[in-house]
Amino acid sequence: MKDTMTGLRASYIRELRAYFATPLAYVFIAIFLMLLGFFTWEASRFFDTGVADLQPFFYWHPWLFMIFLPALSMRLWSDESAAGTTELLMSLPITITGLAIGKLLAAWTVALLALALTTPMWMTVNYLGAPDNSAILLTYLMSALMAGAYLAIGAAISSLLSSQVLSYVIGVVVAFVFTAAGWPMVLGAISGALGAGVGDLAAQFSFLTHFETAERGVLEVRSVLFFIGFVALCLALNVIWVSQRRGAMR
């Protein structure tokens, strides 16, 4: 346990410093905020709706996370391979579980910072009207949880590949599958080709399905457990794949 906590703390601090020592975190946050603002205010024609709530804002979260969060997580393990520091990292007297959790938490912190910087939009709708702030807070929390699931996909894939570009591309593809599985157009195609039962089953594994319940102001425990379980599963795969690499080096 002590080795796990030591590895977690060391890798978290190291990765967080690495994000802000390069333009990566700043560029990610700036572009994310710019695009989220554009899609909320312009593409969704917010001011034409005449309703002061953040539904147009949250609608875009899964789609933007799908594109941007793999860019944050693609470097977590691939960068070690490219820099030739994997062997050194594997030789340290710390657990891989601690390393993997620390790396994921560092990327998650950057994503949460980007989310926190969107709160002026929340203040704006409160200025314009009287939104349901409890529902907005709930959706923010679920969005933060969902961000962890997207990052966990990228981190796990990054542990398999030494190329950051390839990690990003495959991360986006996998994230797209878990996002689009709940999209009505895709669900209709799956149900039409394989039956309604298969369509319903696919929807249960979609991030959209579990996030949309929070957008309606409803807290479903199964959705919370789904995202927590998904992060835990990807983290376990991450640890297994890195452990296999450590075993191969010995």
Side-chain angles (χ1 to χ4, degrees):
M1 187 63 183
K2 183 180 177 182
D3 289 344
T4 299
M5 293 306 298
T6 301
L8 191 159
R9 186 170 54 253
S11 63
Y12 175 78
I13 294 172
R14 176 174 177 262
E15 293 298 334
L16 200 57
R17 283 178 177 167
Y19 276 120
F20 290 99
T22 65
L24 178 61
Y26 304 103
V27 170
F28 161 77
I29 291 172
I31 296 178
F32 176 77
L33 293 177
M34 185 177 64
L35 285 180
L36 191 54
F38 171 77
F39 283 118
T40 301
W41 306 120
E42 296 296 330
S44 299
R45 304 180 69 82
F46 175 85
F47 292 104
D48 293 343
T49 64
V51 179
D53 66 28
L54 283 181
Q55 191 171 7
F57 165 76
F58 287 118
Y59 173 82
W60 296 103
H61 281 210
W63 302 102
L64 290 178
F65 285 174
M66 180 188 78
I67 298 295
F68 284 97
L69 294 187
L72 272 185
S73 55
M74 68 181 182
R75 56 170 299 280
L76 290 177
W77 293 98
S78 300
D79 197 37
E80 304 286 358
S81 300
T85 55
T86 305
E87 291 81 0
L88 175 63
L89 203 62
M90 296 295 106
S91 66
L92 296 176
I94 50 180
T95 66
I96 293 173
T97 301
L99 281 175
I101 295 175
K103 283 175 175 285
L104 179 61
L105 288 180
W108 210 339
T109 300
V110 177
L112 293 180
L113 176 60
L115 263 184
L117 291 174
T118 64
T119 50
M121 295 186 183
W122 189 357
M123 297 174 192
T124 301
V125 294
N126 271 279
Y127 175 77
L128 295 173
D132 183 346
N133 285 315
S134 298
I136 292 175
L137 177 60
L138 169 64
T139 317
Y140 257 111
L141 294 176
M142 287 299 287
S143 180
L145 204 51
M146 181 172 63
Y150 280 108
L151 288 168
I153 291 174
I157 292 172
S158 173
S159 67
L160 284 174
L161 303 166
S162 58
S163 167
Q164 291 191 34
V165 175
L166 203 53
S167 295
Y168 172 74
V169 172
I170 296 177
V172 170
V173 171
V174 175
F176 175 77
V177 170
F178 281 100
T179 304
W183 199 18
M185 185 182 298
V186 175
L187 270 182
I190 294 174
S191 298
L194 302 172
V198 177
D200 290 342
L201 182 63
Q204 296 307 311
F205 289 94
S206 170
F207 292 178
L208 279 184
T209 302
H210 294 282
F211 185 60
E212 282 174 350
T213 58
E215 286 185 90
R216 295 195 299 272
V218 178
L219 174 61
E220 286 196 353
V221 175
R222 66 172 182 168
S223 296
V224 175
L225 294 177
F226 170 80
F227 284 122
I228 293 174
F230 193 92
V231 171
L233 175 63
C234 290
L235 202 53
L237 291 174
N238 190 340
V239 171
I240 291 170
W241 290 334
V242 175
S243 298
Q244 288 176 341
R245 291 175 63 181
R246 173 186 264 183
M249 289 176 184
R250 290 176 175 170

